[in-house]
Amino acid sequence: MSEAEIKNLEEIFESRIARDEKIEPKDWMPEKYRKTHIRQMSQHAHSEIIGMLPEGNWITRAPSLRRKVALLAKVQDEGGHGLYLYSACETLGISRDELFEQLHSGKAKYSSIFNYPTVTWADMGAIGWLVDGAAIINQVPLCNTSYGPYARAMVRVCKEESFHQRQGFEIMLKLCQGSPEQKEMAQDALNRWWWPSLMMLGPTDDKSVHTEQSMKWKLKRKTNDELRQQFIDQTVPQAEVLGITVPDPDLKWNEEKGQYDFGEIDWDEFWQVVKGHGPCNKERMTARVSAWEEGEWVRDAAMAYADKKDKKNVAKAS
Amino acid sequence: MKKNWPLWEIFVRSKNGLEHRHFGSLHATDAEMALENARDVYTRRNEGVSIWVVESKYITASNPQENGELFEPAQDKIYRHPTFYELPDELKHM
Amino acid sequence: MKDSHLVKYILGIADNALILGQRLGELCGHGPTLETDIALTNMSLDLLGQTRNYYQYVAKISGDDSTEDDIAFLRTERQYLNVLLVEQPNQHFGYVIARQFYFDVFHYLLLEKLQASTDENLAAIAKKSIKEVSYHQRFSSDWIKRLGDGTSESHNKIQTAINDLWAYTDELFEVTEDDSHIVNIGIGVDVSELKAEYYSKVSEVLKESTLEIPDNKYFKKGGKIGIHSEHMGYILADLQYMQRTYPKMKW
């Protein structure tokens, strides 16, 4: 294809997206669109899979049977969501094994929030309430993104995830209605998870490298700063219902703007964690890599067994 | 030995009377395992009463670059649709 | 909680589900593939669901104000009546599957009979659970075949697990004194009668999987009367952590 032809195809492609047409796997697409989508979808999938670990940490210690099954089901959902997203990624011609390889070698990123430790039961509440809350804000607009398989996966993810945030809030509520010790546990969790949750919505707009292109392709409908503001505005009143305090002395309602003003985010901490020096980066990666490596003989066995069975069937048929 | 589990496409009938619909894909070593995995992955919330699995490599897809010749010729055959035909207003049902 | 024969009989069934559910719960997020991970969690959820049904019933017949959680979390180790098999550690996927397989085959036979219990509540729980367990059995048997007749590495690994866990199978058919009271009045199942069918089923799958049937005649037991392996204390340390650290609170 000549350069002019490619340019023409690109124009047709961009105008299709502008008309809100969906792009499907076999459609022609610019290489950059493909690459960007593989990057974003796989990052999203990796985040789901790594995200199983901090919460999985509490499955065996959940304080009641009801909480135990609900938490198990939630962590399992995250595995399912990772699976849907890897599948969507695979429609772009990359295998799940290659994607795992990128994750395990440290080439691919995942959401930094999962590099923080879950140290008390209240963290199960805070993660559900805050982290899933922030995730939903990010994800709902993606149900309408331009790439068909991604949009469809996100519809399923959002539908299933609707119980996750409620579960988290309910855990917090029970703690806040409980003994002083329990309420203190809830406050402590909010203190630790508040700022990382704000960081989760990404660097400020002036530092964000992908925003403009991503907006065009509907990988993003709002900027990081807009999403963050939305998250804060909807979460602060929820903290008031719980009766616990958001750990930001500068947080106050701005009547004029109709939104909350909030304090400075410690971006040094954010970049430190992103670069691999957060509290649990190593632990998370070790857990994933060893699950994969220790599973190799199992995967190989199942494949070998299927091949043998196949051969037997062929022999029988001939 | 390095051989990845193949990819399968999963179709689920959500209740009798409805068609099987494409739900997504997953990895499995054979059809039996694909069925089991599909049950565990795609029907956790009571979404299905029947599952079909097809190994992805056996699906032949039309080429979108041929969409012009494949699908556009049907666009102007409006006489295939009931709205093409003019009927008097008095006639309530047909 | 009254330690009546019936209560102890039910706990003998329910505690198996709790402890195995707990063991499977440890694996969530660590499976060999995502699909398998999700499948193992489904089994854990099934078992914990069954546990809750049994415990809620026990709470009801206890005649005091105990709840399912008191029963699950606030007993001493000696009061848990699960078999030794289900408390054995995950080690590697071969052990997970072998443990599951040995238990599922038994569990299915037990529930089949328990459906006919003269205790309506137990019969109802059995009817509901047997569908889940029927799937568990299919899942674990399939994996025994895959690992047994897969690669030479997998064959050796699953054979070792099958051999190691074999010693815990005989306890499944032990009838305790409490059990026999309940069996005699038509509520309980005489598990000793399930033994022959159990071993023939197990052998059939093992043979099909090209695995040797272990010939070890030395069996271990104790769980059913509350004398557990050393693993149990650690399971309970996790399981009971919150309830023990923060007594009498609501979660």
Side-chain angles (χ1 to χ4, degrees):
Chain A
M1 246 185 287
S2 74
E3 248 174 71
E5 278 172 315
I6 291 180
K7 196 146 190 302
N8 183 35
L9 280 171
E10 271 173 11
E11 273 165 22
I12 295 171
F13 180 85
E14 298 294 346
S15 65
R16 285 182 63 194
I17 292 184
R19 281 198 305 272
D20 253 340
E21 269 183 47
K22 295 280 186 249
I23 306 302
E24 293 296 343
K26 295 193 73 164
D27 291 347
W28 183 89
M29 62 186 76
E31 194 46 29
K32 195 171 166 215
Y33 181 89
R34 200 179 80 89
K35 283 218 170 98
T36 305
H37 275 78
I38 289 178
R39 196 190 60 235
Q40 176 160 337
M41 287 193 285
S42 65
Q43 253 179 40
H44 195 161
H46 298 328
S47 301
E48 297 280 358
I49 300 310
I50 299 278
M52 296 173 83
L53 300 170
E55 288 175 285
N57 185 25
W58 278 88
I59 288 169
T60 57
R61 291 179 294 168
S64 71
L65 290 176
R66 180 174 177 271
R67 291 286 176 220
K68 192 189 285 287
V69 289
L71 182 63
L72 246 178
K74 187 201 168 185
V75 180
Q76 182 195 43
D77 269 353
E78 283 159 10
H81 299 167
L83 192 151
Y84 307 155
L85 289 160
Y86 284 125
S87 298
C89 224
E90 284 180 277
T91 61
L92 289 173
I94 185 163
S95 72
R96 194 195 290 174
D97 291 53
E98 287 172 276
L99 295 168
F100 276 157
E101 172 55 36
Q102 291 178 356
L103 173 67
H104 297 160
S105 66
K107 205 182 133 205
K109 296 266 180 292
Y110 57 87
S111 185
S112 285
I113 192 100
F114 302 118
N115 291 317
Y116 289 88
T118 50
V119 293
T120 72
W121 170 251
D123 291 11
M124 297 305 99
I127 289 182
W129 172 40
L130 301 172
V131 177
D132 288 280
I136 291 169
I137 284 184
N138 244 330
Q139 288 172 353
V140 168
L142 288 172
C143 295
N144 238 326
T145 189
S146 67
Y147 187 55
Y150 194 22
R152 289 192 287 275
M154 288 317 298
V155 168
R156 187 171 292 277
V157 168
C158 287
K159 210 160 98 191
E160 295 188 350
E161 235 164 53
S162 53
F163 93 78
H164 294 181
Q165 198 190 10
R166 281 169 174 239
Q167 178 183 155
F169 191 81
E170 196 195 78
I171 290 174
M172 292 302 270
L173 191 64
K174 265 279 192 247
L175 293 173
C176 292
Q177 293 168 340
S179 69
E181 214 176 352
Q182 282 174 301
K183 190 160 184 183
E184 199 184 304
M185 197 191 281
Q187 179 67 58
D188 169 65
L190 172 59
N191 292 350
R192 283 179 290 108
W193 291 94
W194 174 256
W195 293 106
S197 300
L198 296 190
M199 295 174 199
M200 208 183 135
L201 294 152
T204 50
D205 293 348
D206 53 324
K207 298 264 165 34
S208 176
V209 280
H210 305 299
T211 296
E212 200 190 330
Q213 181 69 81
S214 295
M215 291 280 222
K216 229 166 75 190
W217 287 340
K218 297 172 185 170
L219 269 171
K220 247 184 178 177
R221 310 306 280 250
K222 288 181 180 169
T223 70
N224 293 350
D225 287 337
E226 286 168 344
L227 292 171
R228 194 162 13 248
Q229 188 68 52
Q230 186 187 337
F231 174 73
I232 292 169
D233 291 346
Q234 79 180 39
T235 310
V236 174
Q238 293 166 356
E240 283 162 9
V241 171
L242 293 172
I244 46 181
T245 314
V246 173
D248 177 359
D250 298 321
L251 186 84
K252 62 169 182 293
W253 180 250
N254 184 324
E255 195 63 57
E256 206 174 301
K257 288 199 243 164
Q259 62 189 36
Y260 282 93
D261 292 333
F262 56 96
E264 193 65 37
I265 293 172
D266 180 0
W267 290 108
D268 289 342
E269 176 183 321
F270 175 75
W271 291 114
Q272 179 179 340
V273 181
V274 169
K275 286 181 181 139
H277 307 291
C280 297
N281 296 57
K282 273 222 173 73
E283 287 84 346
R284 302 293 181 246
M285 207 44 87
T286 308
R288 269 324 307 165
V289 172
S290 54
W292 185 245
E293 286 175 354
E294 284 161 21
E296 187 173 350
W297 69 272
V298 178
R299 296 190 300 276
D300 287 350
M303 205 60 240
Y305 176 77
D307 283 347
K308 279 189 209 173
K309 227 174 48 176
D310 242 11
K311 276 190 195 118
K312 266 186 221 157
N313 287 341
V314 171
K316 245 192 255 165
S318 62
Chain B
M1 197 172 85
K2 213 60 228 91
K3 206 171 155 199
N4 298 336
W5 288 11
L7 193 67
W8 296 72
E9 300 302 321
I10 310 303
F11 301 82
V12 177
R13 184 203 295 288
S14 34
K15 61 176 191 202
N16 276 1
L18 296 179
E19 70 279 59
H20 285 79
R21 207 165 56 79
H22 185 234
F23 261 45
S25 48
L26 49 74
H27 290 272
T29 52
D30 54 34
E32 220 154 82
M33 195 207 267
L35 274 177
E36 287 174 9
N37 290 350
R39 177 259 191 198
D40 283 320
V41 171
Y42 287 105
T43 66
R44 299 201 300 286
R45 285 176 170 79
N46 217 355
E47 293 98 329
V49 295
S50 161
I51 303 174
W52 287 350
V53 299
V54 182
E55 200 177 334
S56 309
K57 70 176 183 194
Y58 293 119
I59 291 185
T60 310
S62 63
N63 183 347
Q65 269 150 44
E66 293 164 3
N67 276 10
E69 60 189 80
L70 287 176
F71 307 117
E72 276 172 31
Q75 277 171 14
D76 66 350
K77 313 292 193 289
I78 50 175
Y79 44 79
R80 287 198 174 107
H81 301 279
T83 47
F84 176 74
Y85 301 93
E86 285 174 25
L87 295 177
D89 290 342
E90 303 92 275
L91 204 61
K92 293 232 168 69
H93 299 288
M94 180 170 281
Chain C
M1 195 176 69
K2 275 189 300 187
D3 274 355
S4 71
H5 298 311
L6 180 59
V7 163
K8 281 190 160 176
Y9 177 76
I10 302 171
L11 291 178
I13 299 172
D15 289 349
N16 286 340
L18 173 71
I19 301 302
L20 188 54
Q22 176 83 354
R23 274 292 190 221
L24 291 171
E26 291 171 17
L27 293 166
C28 185
H30 305 276
T33 67
L34 272 176
E35 286 83 352
T36 322
D37 203 308
I38 291 168
L40 291 173
T41 304
N42 270 346
M43 293 200 292
S44 176
L45 285 169
D46 286 343
L47 289 166
L48 293 170
Q50 294 170 18
T51 307
R52 294 184 70 190
N53 291 332
Y54 289 119
Y55 286 173
Q56 283 164 10
Y57 180 44
V58 169
K60 212 170 92 190
I61 56 179
S62 296
D64 50 24
D65 57 358
S66 61
T67 64
E68 58 170 11
D69 288 331
D70 296 334
I71 302 169
F73 299 104
L74 293 177
R75 282 178 286 157
T76 62
E77 180 170 327
R78 291 285 273 102
Q79 291 171 315
Y80 286 84
L81 302 178
N82 56 282
V83 292
L84 298 176
L85 174 67
V86 294
E87 65 200 49
Q88 297 312 304
N90 293 328
Q91 294 194 66
H92 62 58
F93 191 74
Y95 282 89
V96 173
I97 291 300
R99 184 184 63 204
Q100 194 66 38
F101 170 65
Y102 279 150
F103 184 70
D104 292 343
V105 175
F106 164 77
H107 201 189
Y108 186 85
L109 294 174
L110 170 71
L111 293 177
E112 212 173 30
K113 291 271 187 289
L114 193 62
Q115 294 182 103
S117 169
T118 54
D119 181 310
E120 279 173 20
N121 287 288
L122 282 183
I125 298 175
K127 276 199 186 94
K128 188 169 173 287
S129 309
I130 198 166
K131 290 178 195 147
E132 296 169 343
V133 172
S134 168
Y135 185 78
H136 298 176
Q137 185 175 233
R138 169 175 165 178
F139 178 89
S140 58
S141 305
D142 281 354
W143 269 105
I144 291 281
K145 291 177 208 161
R146 288 188 191 108
L147 299 179
D149 197 13
T151 62
S152 61
E153 183 187 7
S154 73
H155 178 91
N156 293 338
K157 280 197 151 113
I158 189 67
Q159 183 71 65
T160 310
I162 282 289
N163 293 349
D164 286 355
L165 296 177
W166 178 259
Y168 300 102
T169 54
D170 192 61
E171 192 193 6
L172 295 165
F173 309 100
E174 187 81 2
V175 180
T176 66
E177 213 194 302
D178 291 294
D179 292 350
S180 59
H181 284 99
I182 300 305
V183 171
N184 289 340
I185 53 172
I187 293 179
V189 177
D190 182 355
V191 284
S192 67
E193 287 174 2
L194 307 175
K195 200 168 175 172
E197 194 179 348
Y198 175 85
Y199 283 109
S200 102
K201 256 191 159 167
V202 164
S203 307
E204 193 186 309
V205 175
L206 292 182
K207 259 187 228 148
E208 204 190 323
S209 315
T210 72
L211 292 164
E212 303 268 337
I213 295 146
D215 59 2
N216 175 16
K217 297 274 183 300
Y218 298 99
F219 293 104
K220 302 182 193 190
K221 59 180 184 182
K224 281 193 148 176
I225 50 167
I227 303 171
H228 294 278
S229 63
E230 290 181 348
H231 304 298
M232 190 65 176
Y234 296 96
I235 295 177
L236 295 184
D238 268 0
L239 184 74
Q240 300 185 339
Y241 168 66
M242 290 297 291
Q243 291 272 348
R244 295 291 187 199
T245 315
Y246 307 95
K248 296 191 167 45
M249 293 184 195
K250 296 257 179 298
W251 304 95

